[in-house]
Amino acid sequence: MNLSVSSYDDLSARIAAVRDAHGERFPGGAEGRQPVHTVYVPADRFSRSTPADFGAEALRLLNTHTPGAGSFGAAFGLDPELAGPVRERVAAKLAAEPVEDVRIDFEDGYGVRDDKEEDAHVEQVVEAVGAAYQVKGLPHYWGLRVKSFADGGHERAMRTLDGFLTALRDRLGRLPGGFTITFPKVTSIDQIKLFVEFLDRLETALGLPQGILRFEIQIETPQVLMDAVENRIGLQPFVTEAQGRITAAHFGVFDYTAALGLPPHEQRLDHPACDFARHIMQVSLAGTGVRLSDGSTNVIPRNDGPDEVNAAWAAHAGHVRHSLAHGFYQGWDLHPAHLPSRYAAVYAFHLSGVDDVIGRVRAWHEQAAGNASGVLDEPATITALTARLRRAVDCGALDESVLPAGG
């Protein structure tokens, strides 16, 4: 080949450096299983049996109010062909793994207590977590939500986390896997820096491996998304400052909508103002390995009557579907009644058109292997379809045996 330029070596090296720098900032999607929800339980109400208790109550509500496929499909607005398979899988999920992620809450759901009372609840939670761990009763993911650094609760937040981890180490001799800290009401990058410094000190003091304490941030104010003082839009700088410790960003619906001045009846997950915030979260965190989670529905049944339960289910399932349509595959659940509607909406989402998805993935792999099939899907599309199937398997909507070879 005749070349006009004698050497491209210097350009090649610089191109590779640019590529590598981009790869460090945007390593790709998060690895491992993402839970479909985080269940928040006030610290003073958490016991070793709380996850199982939530499942038992959710299953009771399911069997009481939707005893068959017909009533189940009507309650959650499902296609009659899907209602039977979805109900069967939801019932099995509630019996076997009702809670995929639990957060023991020392913040808004718990409130402000004096130090003596909160210290006592820290001890109580340590005993409950230790007992649950011994009988394999902890969910796949679990952790604490501490108080915010933004509103004067910082000393109590550090005391609670330090006391909890110290006592748990003394009781179990280790930190069980899946532990995550929720860091709420983040308003500035400086708070992230300070929290990371605190975690560094805590790991050293406890003899924990460096970087093992990871956390998720809660996005609850407009200023955290768009800061004119810092000349910043989006959340990517927070990830950089966290030095690999941030696992997820969770949207806080009610604090955020209240901060915008929305009236109480418009403070809801599917408000267009929330869509705007979610889209900024998506755009700024895409490719960073940080997962996204939507917020909660505050509608719960006031009693066990069918009208109350079905109204709560309809509202919650509608919000879950809204989140899924916007690419938020995780959300918050606050009550046992939220579990049937969470899994009904999630499973229906994953099972709708799943045969077509499997066929497209299989056809693409066959085409790549030399068996022309006429499929024109791009590799990025196949990656997205495969990720959908993986999420369906992880949450129990689909059996892994149906996945196409190579998928």
Side-chain angles (χ1 to χ4, degrees):
M1 179 183 296
N2 292 323
L3 300 176
S4 299
V5 180
S6 61
S7 174
Y8 302 125
D9 289 350
D10 64 322
L11 288 175
S12 293
R14 288 155 63 191
I15 292 168
V18 169
R19 178 201 62 210
D20 293 344
H22 183 273
E24 289 181 6
R25 291 183 64 194
F26 301 99
E31 296 182 356
R33 172 184 177 184
Q34 179 175 12
V36 302
H37 65 182
T38 299
V39 173
Y40 278 77
V41 181
D44 56 327
R45 302 180 198 171
F46 184 80
S47 73
R48 59 176 286 183
S49 63
T50 293
D53 294 343
F54 263 59
E57 175 61 9
L59 190 57
R60 185 190 71 81
L61 290 171
L62 181 77
N63 289 330
T64 298
H65 297 284
T66 59
S71 56
F72 181 83
F76 299 110
L78 303 186
D79 185 304
E81 293 186 3
L82 273 181
V86 170
R87 189 194 185 284
E88 181 180 348
R89 288 187 175 271
V90 169
K93 180 71 170 181
L94 294 176
E97 190 192 28
V99 176
E100 294 192 354
D101 183 20
V102 68
R103 205 63 73 246
I104 304 163
D105 190 16
F106 283 95
E107 204 230 358
D108 282 353
Y110 174 76
V112 178
R113 319 286 182 98
D114 62 46
D115 280 342
K116 182 178 180 181
E117 184 175 6
E118 184 157 336
D119 287 344
H121 286 138
V122 170
E123 293 180 9
Q124 174 184 311
V125 167
V126 168
E127 289 302 310
V129 167
Y133 173 72
Q134 297 289 0
V135 297
K136 298 182 179 180
L138 281 177
H140 189 85
Y141 295 105
W142 67 283
L144 303 186
R145 178 165 73 166
V146 296
K147 288 179 170 59
S148 171
F149 277 20
D151 53 13
H154 52 283
E155 291 185 357
R156 186 62 252 188
M158 292 187 285
R159 178 181 175 124
T160 292
L161 188 56
D162 188 346
F164 172 80
L165 290 173
T166 300
L168 192 67
R169 178 203 60 185
D170 294 344
R171 191 185 194 285
L172 297 180
R174 66 183 303 272
L175 178 64
F179 177 72
T180 303
I181 306 157
T182 301
F183 191 47
K185 294 183 177 64
V186 175
T187 59
S188 75
I189 290 178
D190 287 336
Q191 291 167 355
I192 297 293
K193 295 177 182 177
L194 290 165
F195 193 57
V196 167
E197 184 176 342
F198 167 61
L199 296 180
D200 284 338
R201 295 186 188 185
L202 195 53
E203 287 167 344
T204 299
L206 291 170
L208 293 172
Q210 194 70 21
I212 195 173
L213 297 178
R214 307 184 74 193
F215 63 97
E216 57 202 14
I217 57 174
Q218 288 195 260
I219 308 306
E220 303 179 76
T221 65
Q223 294 77 20
V224 77
L225 294 173
M226 194 174 299
D227 193 322
V229 175
E230 297 178 355
N231 194 27
R232 171 186 57 77
I233 296 176
L235 300 169
Q236 207 281 331
F238 288 76
V239 179
T240 301
E241 291 297 341
Q243 302 172 31
R245 290 187 185 269
I246 290 181
T247 60
H250 290 224
F251 182 54
V253 172
F254 300 104
D255 282 63
Y256 183 84
T257 52
L260 293 179
L262 297 185
H265 67 278
E266 291 291 353
Q267 292 176 13
R268 50 186 170 83
L269 182 146
D270 56 355
H271 193 281
C274 296
D275 291 339
F276 176 75
R278 276 189 289 265
H279 295 160
I280 292 179
M281 292 171 66
Q282 279 180 311
V283 170
S284 61
L285 294 177
T288 63
V290 175
R291 294 183 174 125
L292 298 172
S293 175
D294 217 335
S296 61
T297 299
N298 62 358
V299 178
I300 62 173
R302 291 174 292 186
N303 56 55
D304 211 21
D307 291 343
E308 283 287 321
V309 172
N310 281 285
W313 278 348
H316 185 240
H319 287 165
V320 174
R321 286 191 288 268
H322 187 87
S323 299
L324 292 169
H326 285 259
F328 277 66
Y329 301 106
Q330 180 179 350
W332 299 2
D333 289 333
L334 308 176
H335 190 275
H338 288 161
L339 302 189
S341 41
R342 169 71 60 183
Y343 289 118
V346 169
Y347 284 16
F349 173 83
H350 285 310
L351 294 180
S352 296
V354 70
D355 291 339
D356 177 62
V357 172
I358 293 172
R360 288 170 66 182
V361 174
R362 179 178 291 117
W364 190 88
H365 282 288
E366 290 174 350
Q367 183 181 23
N371 181 13
S373 63
V375 177
L376 297 177
D377 277 322
E378 294 286 336
T381 303
I382 296 301
T383 298
L385 293 175
T386 303
R388 171 183 166 174
L389 295 177
R390 186 72 259 167
R391 284 191 292 269
V393 170
D394 286 343
C395 73
L398 197 64
D399 295 328
E400 187 152 11
S401 60
V402 307
L403 295 181

